[in-house]
């Protein structure tokens, strides 16, 4: 009888702890939500029936024909690029005259509407390249009436861009900009151990690290999490921004995606899930304009990695830019610092804008923002 009562009390305590954590996470996300106007919310349906959510930030005064597709990386969401100014690429480029479309890849954020018969964790990076990317591109072109678009991807978002550029939709890209995207995966024991742990933690479907990130977010700036410098350098990001990023930007990871990354890391490959398509080799055949960017202290996409990635390209119009003190910048940029570092709005964002302006089609008469055709406004 005592054992039964003990078991009941343990069960009640676990339930109470779970409920307390639910309330805690909800309160943290509410308190640290970005204070900015909400973007327009659109829907993009992929060829396989999966529905994506795309967040459109329209230009204050549209000066350029081509829209900019903003594509986040692994374990992130649309807040990577559409955040609270001044740490918001979407706001920055919209002010410069570009319509911006921030995607949330399938299984991420609001893009959790799979077709019948599939779970929202049932996908690989192949699906991002073959399904999500083309759907995002078609939606942006339809919304703006443009013939081509620019692709700006951070980390995995840049890798997806390389894959899309090699497919049948590649001709609709006016240029590809990658930011901290590691095409080479020569990694040491630490990275192999971490990806192996991630695959195990994701069994049977996904790794929900965003719950832990939001739970710990209020303490950042006072304490430093182990291995946090793999993602961002805490010394380069204001404490409140750290708390906002960890509370809002982290997303769960599909086990299949982690298994694909495990293959890449163990075999130094950038290829499809079935290993039949070599996207890294395909970079050598790309002809569209390229801007390859990285950080001098990025531990995931190292400066050497970015430079060797650039060396693969044979496009006649290609540019390499590594941000760091050796190049006259105020800091040595890490992976997330390229977007959220204190120097990013004044050093990284202008390089992106200037490159886009040089390659975009300027409208003869600037256009006012268009009326939303499909708008589903939501609180973040």
């Amino acid at each position: 009888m005592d054992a039964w009562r003990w078991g009941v009390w343990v069960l009640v305590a676990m339930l109470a702890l779970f409920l307390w954590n639910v309330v805690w996470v909800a309160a943290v996300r509410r308190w640290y939500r970005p204070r900015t106007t909400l973007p327009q919310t659109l829907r993009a349906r992929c060829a396989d029936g999966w529905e994506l959510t795309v967040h459109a930030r329209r230009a204050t005064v549209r000066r350029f024909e081509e829209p900019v597709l903003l594509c986040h990386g692994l374990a992130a969401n649309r807040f990577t690029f559409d955040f609270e100014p001044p740490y918001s690429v979407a706001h920055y480029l919209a002010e410069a005259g570009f319509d911006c479309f921030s995607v949330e890849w399938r299984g991420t954020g609001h893009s959790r509407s799979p077709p019948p018969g599939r779970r929202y964790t049932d996908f690989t990076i192949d699906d991002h390249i073959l399904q999500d990317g083309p759907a995002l591109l078609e939606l942006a072109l339809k919304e703006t009436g443009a013939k081509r678009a620019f692709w700006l991807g951070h980390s995995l978002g840049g890798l997806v861009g390389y894959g899309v550029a090699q497919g049948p939709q590649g001709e609709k890209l006016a240029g590809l900009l990658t930011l901290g995207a590691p095409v080479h995966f020569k990694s040491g024991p630490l990275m192999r151990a971490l990806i192996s742990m991630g695959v195990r933690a994701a069994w049977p479907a996904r790794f929900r690290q965003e719950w832990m990130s939001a739970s710990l977010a209020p303490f950042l700036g006072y304490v430093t999490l182990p291995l946090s410098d793999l993602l961002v350098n805490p010394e380069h990001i204001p404490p409140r921004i750290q708390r906002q990023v960890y509370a809002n930007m982290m997303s769960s990871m599909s086990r299949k995606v982690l298994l694909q990354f495990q293959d890449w890391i163990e075999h130094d490959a950038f290829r499809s899930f079935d290993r039949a398509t070599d996207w890294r080799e395909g970079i050598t055949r790309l002809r569209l304009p390229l801007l390859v960017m990285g950080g001098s202290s990025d531990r995931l996409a190292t400066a050497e990695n970015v430079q060797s990635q650039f060396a693969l390209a044979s496009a006649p119009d290609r540019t390499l830019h590594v941000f760091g003190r050796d190049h006259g910048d105020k800091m040595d940029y890490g992976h997330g610092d390229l977007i959220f570092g204190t120097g990013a709005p004044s050093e990284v964002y202008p390089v992106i804008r200037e490159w886009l302006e040089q390659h975009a089609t300027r409208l003869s008469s600037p256009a006012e923002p268009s009326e939303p055709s499909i708008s589903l406004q939501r609180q973040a």
Side-chain angles (χ1 to χ4, degrees), residues 174-208:
L176 173 60
L177 303 85
T178 65
L179 193 62
V183 164
H184 296 277
F185 293 88
K186 295 179 180 179
S187 302
L190 174 61
M191 189 58 65
R192 295 189 180 201
L194 289 175
I195 192 66
S196 179
M197 290 171 56
V199 168
R200 291 189 179 94
W203 188 89
R206 60 175 173 151
F207 179 28
R208 294 197 59 177

Side-chain angles (χ1 to χ4, degrees), residues 65 137 169 174:
E65 177 182 322
L137 180 56
Q169 300 294 321

Side-chain angles (χ1 to χ4, degrees), residues 99-178:
D99 279 351
C100 296
F101 295 81
S102 299
V103 71
E104 287 187 312
W105 300 126
R106 61 180 59 198
T108 299
H110 297 134
S111 298
R112 300 188 183 187
S113 299
R118 294 186 64 179
R119 296 178 302 172
Y120 78 91
T121 56
D122 180 21
F123 61 90
T124 67
I125 298 169
D126 300 24
D127 293 305
H128 295 329
I129 292 175
L130 301 176
Q131 298 288 336
D132 300 358
L136 166 65
L137 180 56
E138 288 299 318
L139 174 69
L141 296 182
K142 179 181 178 181
E143 284 288 317
T144 60
K147 296 180 180 179
R148 298 188 301 167
F150 292 106
W151 184 293
L152 171 58
H154 178 252
S155 196
L156 174 62
L159 300 183
V160 175
Y162 277 129
V164 173
Q166 295 171 36
Q169 300 294 321
E171 62 184 15
K172 297 179 181 178
L173 291 177
L176 173 60
L177 303 85
T178 65

Side-chain angles (χ1 to χ4, degrees), residues 125-126 128-129 155-166 176 178 181-186 260-286 305 309 312:
I125 298 169
D126 300 24
H128 295 329
I129 292 175
S155 196
L156 174 62
L159 300 183
V160 175
Y162 277 129
V164 173
Q166 295 171 36
L176 173 60
T178 65
V183 164
H184 296 277
F185 293 88
K186 295 179 180 179
Q260 194 164 2
F261 263 105
Q262 187 175 47
D263 169 52
W264 294 357
I265 289 172
E266 290 181 352
H267 301 96
D268 184 22
F270 172 34
R271 59 190 178 186
S272 58
F273 194 79
D274 62 6
R275 306 185 180 186
T277 304
D278 186 346
W279 289 306
R280 186 164 64 197
E281 190 277 333
I283 294 174
T284 63
R285 299 190 298 273
L286 293 180
N305 191 323
Q309 170 190 156
L312 290 172

